[in-house]
Structures are given as C-alpha cells and as structure tokens.
Coordinates of all heavy atoms in Angstrom, one line a residue:
M1 N 9.8 9.8 -2.1 CA 8.8 9.7 -3.1 C 7.6 10.6 -2.7 O 7.4 10.9 -1.6 CB 8.4 8.3 -3.5 CG 7.8 7.5 -2.4 SD 7.3 5.8 -2.9 CE 8.9 5.0 -3.1
K2 N 6.8 10.9 -3.7 CA 5.6 11.8 -3.5 C 4.4 11.0 -4.0 O 4.4 10.4 -5.1 CB 5.7 13.1 -4.3 CG 6.8 14.0 -3.9 CD 6.7 15.3 -4.7 CE 7.9 16.1 -4.5 NZ 8.0 17.2 -5.5
V3 N 3.3 11.2 -3.3 CA 2.0 10.6 -3.8 C 1.0 11.8 -3.9 O 0.7 12.5 -2.9 CB 1.4 9.5 -2.8 CG1 0.1 9.0 -3.3 CG2 2.4 8.4 -2.7
Y4 N 0.4 11.9 -5.1 CA -0.7 12.9 -5.2 C -2.0 12.1 -5.1 O -2.2 11.1 -5.8 CB -0.6 13.5 -6.6 CG 0.5 14.5 -6.8 CD1 1.8 14.0 -7.1 CD2 0.4 15.8 -6.7 CE1 2.9 14.8 -7.3 CE2 1.5 16.7 -6.9 CZ 2.7 16.2 -7.1 OH 3.8 17.0 -7.3
G5 N -2.8 12.6 -4.2 CA -4.1 11.8 -4.0 C -5.0 12.5 -3.0 O -4.8 13.7 -2.7
D6 N -6.0 11.7 -2.7 CA -7.1 12.2 -1.7 C -7.6 11.0 -1.0 O -7.9 10.0 -1.6 CB -8.2 12.8 -2.6 CG -9.3 13.4 -1.7 OD1 -9.4 13.0 -0.5 OD2 -10.1 14.2 -2.2
M7 N -7.6 11.1 0.4 CA -7.9 10.0 1.2 C -9.4 9.6 1.0 O -9.8 8.5 1.5 CB -7.6 10.2 2.6 CG -6.1 10.0 2.9 SD -5.4 8.5 2.1 CE -4.5 9.2 0.8
L8 N -10.2 10.4 0.4 CA -11.6 10.0 0.1 C -11.7 9.0 -1.0 O -12.7 8.4 -1.3 CB -12.5 11.3 -0.2 CG -12.6 12.3 0.9 CD1 -13.4 13.5 0.5 CD2 -13.3 11.6 2.1
S9 N -10.6 8.9 -1.7 CA -10.6 7.9 -2.9 C -10.0 6.6 -2.5 O -8.9 6.5 -1.9 CB -9.6 8.6 -4.0 OG -9.0 7.6 -4.7
G10 N -10.8 5.5 -2.7 CA -10.4 4.2 -2.4 C -9.1 3.8 -3.1 O -8.2 3.1 -2.6
N11 N -8.9 4.3 -4.4 CA -7.7 4.0 -5.1 C -6.5 4.6 -4.5 O -5.4 4.1 -4.6 CB -7.9 4.5 -6.6 CG -8.8 3.6 -7.4 OD1 -8.8 2.4 -7.3 ND2 -9.8 4.2 -8.1
C12 N -6.7 5.8 -3.9 CA -5.5 6.4 -3.2 C -5.3 5.7 -1.8 O -4.2 5.6 -1.4 CB -5.8 7.9 -3.0 SG -6.0 8.8 -4.5
Y13 N -6.4 5.4 -1.2 CA -6.3 4.8 0.2 C -5.5 3.5 0.2 O -4.7 3.2 1.0 CB -7.7 4.6 0.7 CG -7.7 4.0 2.2 CD1 -7.2 4.8 3.2 CD2 -8.3 2.8 2.5 CE1 -7.1 4.3 4.5 CE2 -8.3 2.3 3.8 CZ -7.7 3.1 4.8 OH -7.7 2.6 6.1
K14 N -5.7 2.7 -0.9 CA -5.0 1.4 -0.9 C -3.5 1.6 -1.1 O -2.7 0.9 -0.5 CB -5.6 0.4 -1.9 CG -5.5 0.8 -3.4 CD -6.4 -0.1 -4.2 CE -6.3 0.2 -5.7 NZ -7.1 -0.6 -6.6
V15 N -3.1 2.7 -1.8 CA -1.7 3.0 -2.0 C -1.2 3.5 -0.7 O -0.1 3.0 -0.2 CB -1.5 4.1 -3.1 CG1 -0.1 4.6 -3.1 CG2 -1.9 3.5 -4.5
K16 N -1.9 4.3 0.0 CA -1.5 4.8 1.4 C -1.3 3.6 2.3 O -0.3 3.5 3.0 CB -2.6 5.7 1.9 CG -2.3 6.2 3.3 CD -3.6 7.0 3.8 CE -3.4 7.7 5.1 NZ -3.2 6.9 6.3
L17 N -2.3 2.7 2.3 CA -2.2 1.5 3.2 C -0.9 0.7 3.0 O -0.2 0.4 3.9 CB -3.4 0.6 3.0 CG -4.6 0.8 3.8 CD1 -5.7 -0.2 3.4 CD2 -4.4 0.9 5.3
L18 N -0.6 0.4 1.7 CA 0.6 -0.4 1.4 C 1.9 0.4 1.8 O 2.8 -0.2 2.3 CB 0.6 -0.8 -0.1 CG 1.8 -1.7 -0.5 CD1 1.7 -3.0 0.4 CD2 1.7 -2.0 -2.0
L19 N 1.9 1.7 1.5 CA 3.1 2.5 1.9 C 3.3 2.4 3.4 O 4.5 2.2 3.8 CB 2.9 4.0 1.5 CG 3.1 4.3 0.0 CD1 2.5 5.6 -0.4 CD2 4.6 4.3 -0.3
E20 N 2.2 2.5 4.1 CA 2.4 2.4 5.6 C 2.7 1.0 6.1 O 3.5 0.9 7.0 CB 1.1 3.0 6.2 CG 1.1 4.5 5.9 CD 0.1 5.4 6.5 OE1 -0.7 4.8 7.4 OE2 0.0 6.6 6.2
F21 N 2.1 0.0 5.5 CA 2.5 -1.4 5.9 C 4.0 -1.6 5.6 O 4.6 -2.3 6.3 CB 1.7 -2.4 5.1 CG 0.3 -2.7 5.6 CD1 -0.8 -2.7 4.8 CD2 0.1 -3.0 7.0 CE1 -2.1 -3.0 5.3 CE2 -1.2 -3.3 7.5 CZ -2.2 -3.3 6.6
L22 N 4.5 -1.1 4.5 CA 5.9 -1.3 4.2 C 6.8 -0.3 4.9 O 8.1 -0.4 4.7 CB 6.1 -1.1 2.6 CG 5.4 -2.2 1.8 CD1 5.4 -1.9 0.3 CD2 6.1 -3.6 2.0
G23 N 6.3 0.7 5.6 CA 7.1 1.6 6.3 C 7.9 2.5 5.4 O 9.0 3.0 5.8
I24 N 7.3 2.8 4.2 CA 8.0 3.7 3.3 C 7.7 5.2 3.6 O 6.5 5.5 3.7 CB 7.6 3.4 1.8 CG1 8.1 1.9 1.5 CG2 8.2 4.4 0.8 CD1 7.6 1.4 0.1
Q25 N 8.7 6.0 3.7 CA 8.5 7.4 3.9 C 8.1 8.1 2.6 O 8.7 7.8 1.6 CB 9.8 8.1 4.4 CG 10.3 7.6 5.7 CD 9.4 8.0 6.9 OE1 9.0 9.1 7.0 NE2 9.1 7.0 7.7
Y26 N 7.1 9.0 2.6 CA 6.7 9.6 1.4 C 6.0 11.0 1.7 O 5.6 11.2 2.9 CB 5.7 8.7 0.6 CG 4.4 8.5 1.3 CD1 3.3 9.3 0.8 CD2 4.2 7.6 2.3 CE1 2.0 9.1 1.5 CE2 3.0 7.5 2.9 CZ 1.9 8.2 2.5 OH 0.7 8.0 3.1
E27 N 6.0 11.8 0.7 CA 5.3 13.1 0.9 C 3.9 13.0 0.2 O 3.8 12.5 -0.9 CB 6.1 14.2 0.2 CG 5.6 15.5 0.4 CD 6.4 16.6 -0.4 OE1 7.5 16.2 -0.9 OE2 5.9 17.7 -0.6
R28 N 2.9 13.4 1.0 CA 1.5 13.3 0.5 C 1.0 14.6 0.0 O 1.1 15.6 0.7 CB 0.6 12.8 1.6 CG -0.7 12.2 1.1 CD -1.4 11.4 2.1 NE -1.8 12.2 3.2 CZ -2.1 11.8 4.4 NH1 -2.0 10.5 4.7 NH2 -2.5 12.6 5.3
L29 N 0.6 14.7 -1.2 CA 0.1 16.0 -1.8 C -1.4 15.8 -2.1 O -1.8 15.0 -2.9 CB 0.9 16.4 -3.0 CG 2.4 16.6 -2.6 CD1 3.3 15.8 -3.5 CD2 2.7 18.1 -2.6
H30 N -2.2 16.7 -1.5 CA -3.6 16.6 -1.6 C -4.1 17.1 -3.0 O -3.8 18.3 -3.3 CB -4.3 17.3 -0.5 CG -5.8 17.1 -0.5 ND1 -6.5 15.9 -0.3 CD2 -6.8 18.0 -0.9 CE1 -7.8 16.1 -0.4 NE2 -8.0 17.3 -0.8
I31 N -4.9 16.3 -3.7 CA -5.5 16.8 -4.9 C -7.0 16.7 -4.7 O -7.5 15.6 -4.4 CB -5.1 15.9 -6.1 CG1 -3.6 16.1 -6.4 CG2 -5.9 16.2 -7.4 CD1 -3.2 17.4 -6.9
N32 N -7.8 17.8 -4.9 CA -9.2 17.7 -4.7 C -9.8 17.6 -6.1 O -9.9 18.5 -6.9 CB -9.7 19.0 -4.1 CG -11.2 19.0 -3.8 OD1 -11.9 18.2 -4.4 ND2 -11.6 19.8 -2.8
V33 N -10.3 16.3 -6.4 CA -10.8 16.1 -7.7 C -12.1 16.8 -8.0 O -12.5 17.1 -9.1 CB -11.0 14.6 -8.0 CG1 -9.7 13.8 -8.1 CG2 -11.9 13.9 -7.0
L34 N -12.8 17.1 -6.8 CA -14.1 17.9 -7.0 C -13.9 19.3 -7.4 O -14.8 20.0 -7.9 CB -14.9 17.8 -5.6 CG -15.2 16.4 -5.1 CD1 -16.0 16.5 -3.8 CD2 -16.1 15.7 -6.2
K35 N -12.6 19.8 -7.2 CA -12.3 21.1 -7.7 C -11.5 21.1 -9.0 O -10.7 22.0 -9.3 CB -11.5 21.9 -6.6 CG -12.4 22.2 -5.4 CD -11.6 23.1 -4.4 CE -12.4 23.5 -3.2 NZ -11.6 24.1 -2.2
A36 N -11.5 19.9 -9.6 CA -10.8 19.7 -10.9 C -9.3 19.9 -10.8 O -8.6 20.2 -11.8 CB -11.4 20.5 -12.0
E37 N -8.7 19.7 -9.6 CA -7.3 19.8 -9.4 C -6.5 18.8 -10.1 O -5.3 18.9 -10.3 CB -6.9 19.9 -7.9 CG -7.4 21.1 -7.2 CD -7.2 21.2 -5.7 OE1 -6.6 20.2 -5.2 OE2 -7.6 22.2 -5.1
S38 N -7.1 17.7 -10.6 CA -6.4 16.7 -11.3 C -6.5 17.0 -12.9 O -6.1 16.2 -13.7 CB -7.0 15.3 -11.0 OG -8.3 15.2 -11.4
H39 N -7.0 18.2 -13.2 CA -7.1 18.5 -14.6 C -6.4 19.8 -14.9 O -6.7 20.4 -16.0 CB -8.6 18.5 -15.0 CG -9.2 17.2 -15.0 ND1 -9.2 16.4 -16.2 CD2 -9.8 16.5 -14.0 CE1 -9.8 15.2 -15.8 NE2 -10.1 15.2 -14.6
T40 N -5.5 20.2 -14.0 CA -4.7 21.4 -14.3 C -3.6 21.0 -15.3 O -3.3 19.9 -15.4 CB -4.0 22.0 -13.0 OG1 -3.1 21.0 -12.6 CG2 -5.1 22.3 -12.0
P41 N -3.1 22.0 -16.1 CA -2.0 21.7 -17.0 C -0.9 21.0 -16.4 O -0.3 20.0 -16.9 CB -1.6 23.0 -17.6 CG -2.8 23.9 -17.4 CD -3.5 23.4 -16.2
E42 N -0.5 21.4 -15.1 CA 0.6 20.8 -14.4 C 0.3 19.3 -14.1 O 1.2 18.5 -14.2 CB 0.9 21.6 -13.1 CG 1.3 23.0 -13.3 CD 0.2 24.0 -13.6 OE1 -1.0 23.7 -13.3 OE2 0.4 25.0 -14.3
F43 N -0.9 19.1 -13.6 CA -1.2 17.7 -13.2 C -1.3 16.8 -14.4 O -0.8 15.7 -14.4 CB -2.6 17.7 -12.4 CG -2.8 16.3 -11.8 CD1 -2.4 16.0 -10.5 CD2 -3.4 15.3 -12.6 CE1 -2.5 14.8 -10.0 CE2 -3.6 14.0 -12.0 CZ -3.1 13.8 -10.8
L44 N -1.9 17.4 -15.5 CA -2.0 16.5 -16.7 C -0.7 16.2 -17.4 O -0.6 15.2 -18.1 CB -2.9 17.3 -17.8 CG -4.4 17.4 -17.3 CD1 -5.2 18.3 -18.3 CD2 -5.1 16.0 -17.2
Q45 N 0.4 17.0 -17.0 CA 1.7 16.6 -17.5 C 2.2 15.3 -16.8 O 2.9 14.5 -17.4 CB 2.7 17.7 -17.2 CG 2.6 18.8 -18.2 CD 3.9 19.6 -18.3 OE1 4.6 19.7 -17.3 NE2 4.2 20.1 -19.5
M46 N 1.7 15.1 -15.5 CA 2.1 13.9 -14.8 C 1.2 12.7 -15.2 O 1.6 11.6 -15.4 CB 1.9 14.1 -13.3 CG 2.9 15.0 -12.7 SD 2.8 14.9 -10.9 CE 1.1 15.5 -10.5
N47 N -0.1 13.0 -15.3 CA -1.1 12.0 -15.7 C -2.1 12.5 -16.7 O -3.1 13.2 -16.3 CB -1.8 11.4 -14.5 CG -2.7 10.2 -14.9 OD1 -2.7 9.8 -16.1 ND2 -3.4 9.7 -13.9
P48 N -1.8 12.3 -18.0 CA -2.7 12.9 -19.0 C -4.2 12.4 -18.9 O -5.1 12.9 -19.4 CB -2.1 12.4 -20.3 CG -0.7 12.1 -20.0 CD -0.7 11.6 -18.6
N49 N -4.4 11.3 -18.1 CA -5.7 10.7 -17.8 C -6.4 11.6 -16.7 O -7.6 11.4 -16.5 CB -5.5 9.3 -17.3 CG -6.7 8.4 -17.6 OD1 -7.5 8.8 -18.5 ND2 -6.8 7.3 -17.0
G50 N -5.7 12.5 -16.1 CA -6.4 13.4 -15.1 C -6.9 12.7 -13.9 O -7.9 13.1 -13.3
K51 N -6.2 11.6 -13.4 CA -6.7 10.9 -12.3 C -5.7 10.7 -11.2 O -4.5 10.6 -11.5 CB -7.2 9.5 -12.7 CG -8.5 9.6 -13.6 CD -9.1 8.2 -13.9 CE -10.3 8.3 -14.8 NZ -11.4 9.1 -14.4
I52 N -6.1 10.6 -10.0 CA -5.3 10.2 -8.9 C -5.5 8.7 -8.5 O -6.6 8.2 -8.9 CB -5.6 11.1 -7.6 CG1 -7.1 11.1 -7.3 CG2 -5.0 12.5 -7.8 CD1 -7.4 11.8 -6.0
P53 N -4.6 8.0 -7.9 CA -3.3 8.5 -7.4 C -2.2 8.6 -8.5 O -2.3 7.9 -9.5 CB -2.9 7.4 -6.4 CG -3.5 6.1 -7.0 CD -4.8 6.6 -7.6
V54 N -1.2 9.4 -8.2 CA 0.0 9.5 -9.0 C 1.2 9.4 -8.0 O 1.2 10.0 -7.0 CB 0.1 10.8 -9.7 CG1 1.5 10.9 -10.4 CG2 -1.0 10.9 -10.8
L55 N 2.1 8.5 -8.4 CA 3.3 8.3 -7.6 C 4.5 8.9 -8.3 O 4.7 8.6 -9.5 CB 3.6 6.8 -7.4 CG 4.9 6.4 -6.6 CD1 4.8 6.7 -5.1 CD2 5.2 4.9 -6.8
V56 N 5.3 9.8 -7.7 CA 6.5 10.4 -8.3 C 7.7 9.9 -7.5 O 7.8 10.1 -6.3 CB 6.4 11.9 -8.3 CG1 7.6 12.5 -9.0 CG2 5.2 12.4 -9.0
L57 N 8.5 9.1 -8.2 CA 9.7 8.6 -7.5 C 10.8 9.6 -7.3 O 10.7 10.7 -8.0 CB 10.3 7.4 -8.4 CG 9.3 6.3 -8.7 CD1 9.9 5.3 -9.6 CD2 8.8 5.6 -7.4
D58 N 11.7 9.4 -6.5 CA 12.8 10.4 -6.2 C 13.6 10.8 -7.4 O 14.1 11.9 -7.4 CB 13.7 9.8 -5.1 CG 13.0 9.7 -3.7 OD1 11.9 10.3 -3.6 OD2 13.4 8.9 -2.9
D59 N 13.7 9.9 -8.4 CA 14.4 10.2 -9.6 C 13.5 10.9 -10.7 O 13.9 11.2 -11.8 CB 15.1 9.0 -10.2 CG 14.1 7.9 -10.7 OD1 12.8 8.2 -10.6 OD2 14.5 6.9 -11.1
G60 N 12.3 11.2 -10.3 CA 11.4 11.9 -11.2 C 10.5 11.0 -12.0 O 9.6 11.5 -12.7
Q61 N 10.7 9.7 -12.0 CA 9.8 8.8 -12.8 C 8.4 8.8 -12.2 O 8.3 8.9 -10.9 CB 10.4 7.4 -12.8 CG 11.7 7.3 -13.6 CD 12.1 5.9 -13.8 OE1 11.9 5.2 -14.8 NE2 12.7 5.3 -12.7
I62 N 7.5 8.7 -13.1 CA 6.1 8.8 -12.6 C 5.3 7.5 -12.9 O 5.5 6.9 -13.9 CB 5.4 10.0 -13.4 CG1 6.0 11.3 -12.9 CG2 3.9 10.0 -13.2 CD1 5.6 12.5 -13.8
L63 N 4.5 7.1 -11.9 CA 3.6 6.0 -12.1 C 2.2 6.4 -11.8 O 1.9 7.1 -10.8 CB 4.0 4.9 -11.2 CG 5.1 3.9 -11.6 CD1 5.4 2.9 -10.4 CD2 4.6 3.1 -12.8
T64 N 1.3 6.0 -12.7 CA -0.1 6.2 -12.5 C -0.8 4.8 -12.4 O -0.1 3.8 -12.6 CB -0.8 7.0 -13.6 OG1 -0.7 6.3 -14.8 CG2 -0.1 8.3 -13.8
E65 N -2.1 4.8 -12.2 CA -2.9 3.5 -12.0 C -2.6 2.9 -10.7 O -1.4 2.3 -10.5 CB -2.7 2.6 -13.2 CG -3.4 3.0 -14.5 CD -4.9 3.2 -14.3 OE1 -5.5 2.3 -13.6 OE2 -5.5 4.2 -14.8
S66 N -3.5 2.9 -9.8 CA -3.3 2.4 -8.5 C -2.7 1.0 -8.4 O -1.8 0.7 -7.6 CB -4.6 2.5 -7.6 OG -5.6 1.7 -8.3
N67 N -3.2 0.1 -9.3 CA -2.7 -1.3 -9.2 C -1.3 -1.4 -9.7 O -0.5 -2.2 -9.2 CB -3.6 -2.3 -9.9 CG -4.9 -2.5 -9.1 OD1 -4.9 -2.3 -7.9 ND2 -6.0 -2.8 -9.8
A68 N -0.9 -0.6 -10.7 CA 0.5 -0.6 -11.1 C 1.4 0.0 -10.0 O 2.5 -0.5 -9.8 CB 0.6 0.3 -12.4
I69 N 0.9 1.0 -9.3 CA 1.7 1.5 -8.2 C 1.8 0.5 -7.1 O 2.9 0.3 -6.5 CB 0.9 2.8 -7.6 CG1 1.0 3.9 -8.7 CG2 1.6 3.3 -6.3 CD1 0.1 5.1 -8.4
L70 N 0.7 -0.2 -6.8 CA 0.8 -1.3 -5.7 C 1.8 -2.3 -6.2 O 2.7 -2.8 -5.3 CB -0.5 -1.9 -5.5 CG -1.7 -1.1 -4.9 CD1 -2.9 -2.0 -4.7 CD2 -1.2 -0.5 -3.6
G71 N 1.8 -2.7 -7.4 CA 2.7 -3.7 -7.9 C 4.2 -3.3 -7.8 O 5.1 -4.0 -7.4
Y72 N 4.4 -2.0 -8.1 CA 5.8 -1.4 -8.0 C 6.2 -1.4 -6.6 O 7.4 -1.9 -6.3 CB 5.8 0.0 -8.6 CG 7.1 0.7 -8.3 CD1 8.2 0.5 -9.2 CD2 7.3 1.5 -7.2 CE1 9.4 1.1 -9.0 CE2 8.5 2.1 -7.0 CZ 9.6 1.9 -7.9 OH 10.8 2.5 -7.6
L73 N 5.4 -1.0 -5.7 CA 5.8 -0.9 -4.3 C 6.0 -2.2 -3.6 O 6.9 -2.4 -2.8 CB 4.7 -0.1 -3.5 CG 4.5 1.4 -3.9 CD1 3.3 2.0 -3.1 CD2 5.8 2.2 -3.5
A74 N 5.2 -3.2 -4.0 CA 5.2 -4.5 -3.4 C 6.2 -5.5 -4.0 O 6.5 -6.5 -3.4 CB 3.8 -5.2 -3.5
E75 N 6.8 -5.1 -5.1 CA 7.8 -6.0 -5.7 C 8.9 -6.4 -4.7 O 9.5 -5.5 -4.0 CB 8.5 -5.2 -6.9 CG 9.4 -6.0 -7.7 CD 8.7 -7.0 -8.6 OE1 7.6 -6.7 -9.1 OE2 9.4 -8.0 -8.9
G76 N 9.1 -7.7 -4.6 CA 10.2 -8.2 -3.8 C 9.8 -8.3 -2.3 O 10.6 -8.6 -1.4
T77 N 8.5 -8.0 -2.0 CA 8.0 -8.2 -0.6 C 7.0 -9.3 -0.5 O 6.6 -9.9 -1.5 CB 7.3 -6.9 -0.1 OG1 6.0 -6.8 -0.7 CG2 8.1 -5.6 -0.5
N78 N 6.7 -9.6 0.7 CA 5.7 -10.7 0.9 C 4.3 -10.4 0.4 O 3.4 -11.2 0.4 CB 5.6 -11.1 2.4 CG 6.9 -11.8 2.8 OD1 7.6 -12.3 2.0 ND2 7.2 -11.8 4.1
F79 N 4.1 -9.1 0.0 CA 2.7 -8.8 -0.5 C 2.5 -9.4 -1.8 O 1.3 -9.4 -2.3 CB 2.6 -7.3 -0.5 CG 2.3 -6.7 0.9 CD1 3.4 -6.2 1.7 CD2 1.1 -6.7 1.5 CE1 3.2 -5.8 3.0 CE2 0.9 -6.2 2.8 CZ 1.9 -5.8 3.5
I80 N 3.5 -9.8 -2.5 CA 3.3 -10.5 -3.8 C 3.7 -12.0 -3.6 O 4.9 -12.3 -3.5 CB 4.1 -9.9 -5.0 CG1 3.6 -8.4 -5.2 CG2 3.9 -10.7 -6.3 CD1 4.3 -7.7 -6.3
P81 N 2.8 -12.9 -3.6 CA 3.1 -14.3 -3.4 C 4.0 -14.8 -4.5 O 3.9 -14.4 -5.7 CB 1.8 -15.0 -3.4 CG 0.7 -14.0 -3.3 CD 1.3 -12.7 -3.8
T82 N 4.9 -15.8 -4.2 CA 5.6 -16.4 -5.3 C 4.9 -17.6 -5.9 O 5.1 -17.9 -7.0 CB 7.0 -16.9 -4.7 OG1 6.8 -17.6 -3.5 CG2 7.9 -15.7 -4.4
D83 N 4.0 -18.2 -5.1 CA 3.2 -19.3 -5.6 C 2.3 -18.8 -6.7 O 1.6 -17.8 -6.5 CB 2.4 -19.9 -4.4 CG 1.5 -21.0 -4.9 OD1 1.9 -22.1 -5.1 OD2 0.2 -20.7 -5.1
R84 N 2.3 -19.6 -7.8 CA 1.6 -19.2 -9.0 C 0.1 -19.0 -8.7 O -0.5 -18.0 -9.2 CB 1.8 -20.3 -10.0 CG 1.4 -20.0 -11.4 CD 1.8 -21.2 -12.2 NE 1.4 -21.0 -13.6 CZ 1.5 -22.0 -14.5 NH1 2.1 -23.1 -14.2 NH2 1.2 -21.8 -15.8
Y85 N -0.5 -19.9 -8.0 CA -2.0 -19.9 -7.8 C -2.3 -18.7 -6.8 O -3.2 -17.9 -7.0 CB -2.5 -21.2 -7.2 CG -4.0 -21.2 -6.9 CD1 -4.9 -21.3 -7.9 CD2 -4.4 -21.0 -5.6 CE1 -6.2 -21.2 -7.7 CE2 -5.8 -21.0 -5.3 CZ -6.7 -21.1 -6.4 OH -8.0 -21.0 -6.1
A86 N -1.5 -18.6 -5.8 CA -1.7 -17.5 -4.8 C -1.5 -16.2 -5.5 O -2.3 -15.2 -5.2 CB -0.7 -17.7 -3.6
K87 N -0.6 -16.1 -6.4 CA -0.4 -14.8 -7.1 C -1.6 -14.5 -8.0 O -2.1 -13.4 -8.0 CB 0.9 -14.8 -8.0 CG 1.2 -13.5 -8.5 CD 2.4 -13.5 -9.5 CE 3.7 -13.5 -8.8 NZ 4.8 -13.4 -9.7
A88 N -2.1 -15.5 -8.6 CA -3.3 -15.3 -9.5 C -4.5 -14.9 -8.6 O -5.3 -14.1 -9.0 CB -3.7 -16.6 -10.2
K89 N -4.6 -15.4 -7.4 CA -5.7 -15.0 -6.5 C -5.5 -13.5 -6.1 O -6.5 -12.8 -6.0 CB -5.7 -15.9 -5.2 CG -6.1 -17.3 -5.4 CD -7.4 -17.5 -6.0 CE -8.6 -17.3 -5.0 NZ -9.9 -17.6 -5.7
M90 N -4.2 -13.1 -5.9 CA -4.0 -11.7 -5.6 C -4.5 -10.9 -6.8 O -5.2 -9.9 -6.6 CB -2.5 -11.5 -5.4 CG -2.1 -10.0 -5.2 SD -0.3 -9.8 -5.5 CE -0.3 -9.7 -7.3
Y91 N -4.2 -11.3 -8.0 CA -4.6 -10.5 -9.2 C -6.2 -10.5 -9.3 O -6.8 -9.6 -9.7 CB -4.0 -11.1 -10.5 CG -2.6 -10.7 -10.7 CD1 -1.6 -11.7 -11.0 CD2 -2.1 -9.4 -10.6 CE1 -0.3 -11.4 -11.2 CE2 -0.8 -9.1 -10.7 CZ 0.1 -10.1 -11.0 OH 1.4 -9.8 -11.2
E92 N -6.8 -11.7 -8.9 CA -8.2 -11.8 -8.9 C -8.8 -10.6 -8.1 O -9.8 -10.0 -8.6 CB -8.6 -13.1 -8.3 CG -9.9 -13.7 -8.6 CD -10.1 -15.0 -8.0 OE1 -10.3 -15.2 -6.8 OE2 -9.9 -16.0 -8.8
W93 N -8.3 -10.4 -6.9 CA -8.8 -9.3 -6.1 C -8.5 -7.9 -6.7 O -9.3 -7.0 -6.7 CB -8.3 -9.4 -4.7 CG -9.0 -10.4 -3.8 CD1 -8.6 -11.6 -3.4 CD2 -10.4 -10.3 -3.4 NE1 -9.5 -12.2 -2.7 CE2 -10.7 -11.5 -2.7 CE3 -11.4 -9.3 -3.5 CZ2 -11.9 -11.7 -2.1 CZ3 -12.6 -9.5 -2.9 CH2 -12.8 -10.7 -2.2
M94 N -7.3 -7.8 -7.2 CA -6.9 -6.5 -7.8 C -7.7 -6.1 -9.0 O -8.0 -5.0 -9.2 CB -5.4 -6.5 -8.2 CG -4.5 -6.5 -6.9 SD -2.8 -6.7 -7.3 CE -2.4 -5.0 -7.8
F95 N -8.1 -7.2 -9.8 CA -8.9 -6.9 -11.0 C -10.4 -6.9 -10.8 O -11.2 -6.6 -11.6 CB -8.6 -7.9 -12.1 CG -7.2 -7.9 -12.6 CD1 -6.5 -9.0 -13.0 CD2 -6.5 -6.7 -12.8 CE1 -5.2 -9.0 -13.5 CE2 -5.2 -6.6 -13.2 CZ -4.6 -7.8 -13.6
F96 N -10.8 -7.2 -9.5 CA -12.2 -7.3 -9.2 C -13.0 -6.0 -9.5 O -12.5 -4.9 -9.1 CB -12.4 -7.7 -7.7 CG -13.8 -7.8 -7.2 CD1 -14.6 -8.8 -7.6 CD2 -14.3 -6.9 -6.3 CE1 -15.9 -9.0 -7.2 CE2 -15.6 -7.0 -5.9 CZ -16.4 -8.0 -6.3
Ligands
GSH101 N1 -8.0 3.0 -12.8 C1 -7.5 4.2 -12.0 C2 -8.8 4.9 -11.5 C3 -8.4 6.2 -10.7 C4 -9.6 7.0 -10.5 O1 -10.7 6.8 -11.0 N2 -9.4 8.1 -9.7 C5 -10.4 9.0 -9.4 C6 -10.5 9.2 -7.8 S1 -10.9 7.6 -7.1 C7 -10.1 10.3 -10.0 O2 -9.0 10.8 -10.0 N3 -11.1 11.0 -10.5 C8 -11.0 12.3 -11.0 C9 -11.4 12.5 -12.4 O3 -11.7 11.5 -13.1 O4 -11.5 13.6 -12.9 C10 -6.7 3.7 -10.8 O5 -6.9 2.6 -10.3 O6 -5.8 4.4 -10.4

C-alpha cells in the first residue's frame, strides 16, 4: 500500500504510527502542502478535498480522512476494543 502525506502533519503522523505499530509495509510518498502539492490535478483525482493523508491500497482503492484510514487499518486488531464502552471511548478521542 501507499501513503501520501507529510510527517509535519499530525493527521499523517497518526497513520504512520499505526502502520508501524501493526508492522505493515508501505510506501511513503511525500506531499508538501505548503507548495500546494495536494492540489495538483493528479492528487485531486485521489482526494477531491485536496488533503493528506491518502491511503492507496494494493488493488487501487483509495481512502481519505485520517480516522477512516485508522479504522480500516485497525479493523480486526486489538487497536479497536470489542467492549462497547471502551470502543466509544476510542471514538471519543478520535472525534476530539
Ligand atoms: N479531516 C482530515 C483533515 C486532513 C488535513 O487537514 N490535512 C492537512 C494537513 S494536516 C492538509 O492536507 N492540508 C492541505 C490543504 O488543506 O490544502 C483528516 O483527518 O484526514
């Protein structure tokens, strides 16, 4: 999988942290938002919202929004509690 992002971005950093905690191999592609690299026609085809991070799966499917990406990566792992209250507490932090 590929991740388009910038380590100066907290939204990208949390995706990087989870990928590394899970030991998932990925390719990192740097996007400099200060140079409007997230607003090129090519990038806008991946995310019309013009924002990083963007996750591109090996089959070409694309995910945007850091919390959606975290949810996708964490599915079926201990990073998503099964207990209803604990899961709501996780969402509490994610929506903070
Ligand atoms: N809600 C989005 C926010 C993403 C976001 O704001 N990304 C910033 C960097 S932290 C960005 O791409 N800014 C570039 C721009 O808006 O042009 C998420 O959680 O992924």
